[in-house]
Amino acid sequence: MPPSPPWWHSVPVPNGCTLRRKQVFEYTTPEQMYRVELFENPDGTCYAIGVPEDSERLIVYGSNVVDSPELALRILVDKIRRESGIFHTSPHSEEDDSSEDSESGEMGS
């Protein structure tokens, strides 16, 4: 026997309206904390959205719509892991780069 849908799937809503379930998670890396929201549609499909907390820029990471909440979260975490380095640079990296340039300039003189 297939598992029965969650209780909220049977809540009646007017035509043209949708009842979607949302769960909130916190994903923390050494560099950043992310607010993650997992959405479950009435048909059982899911997607996840993540936004860094306390960031100077608003960056929204998202998964595609998939058949599993676990898969949506896995896709999102992987996307954050791959793409966060593109948007977040360490404040020390620019200083380190400039000090390396000045050192190499002195050695070449």
Side-chain angles (χ1 to χ4, degrees):
M1 181 187 322
S4 61
W7 62 267
W8 65 273
H9 284 211
S10 62
V11 174
V13 296
N15 285 340
C17 299
T18 303
L19 181 62
R20 181 176 290 124
R21 183 178 189 178
K22 179 171 96 170
Q23 293 178 285
V24 179
F25 297 86
E26 184 179 281
Y27 173 55
T28 306
T29 69
E31 297 82 26
Q32 185 70 49
M33 183 170 47
Y34 298 85
R35 177 183 173 89
V36 173
E37 296 178 346
L38 174 67
F39 296 90
E40 185 178 348
N41 297 311
D43 65 359
T45 59
C46 302
Y47 62 95
I49 295 173
V51 179
E53 297 278 333
D54 302 322
S55 177
E56 292 180 8
R57 292 191 243 171
L58 175 61
I59 302 166
V60 179
Y61 299 93
S63 75
N64 48 331
V65 177
V66 295
D67 293 331
S68 151
E70 179 185 3
L71 181 57
L73 289 174
R74 285 177 182 261
I75 291 168
L76 180 69
V77 167
D78 185 54
K79 184 175 267 189
I80 291 171
R81 183 186 56 79
R82 285 183 289 117
E83 296 179 8
S84 64
I86 296 169
F87 300 109
H88 302 291
T89 57
S90 168
H92 300 293
S93 64
E94 291 178 16
E95 293 171 10
D96 294 343
D97 290 345
S98 63
S99 67
E100 286 176 12
D101 289 342
S102 65
E103 288 176 9
S104 62
E106 291 174 13
M107 294 179 93
S109 300

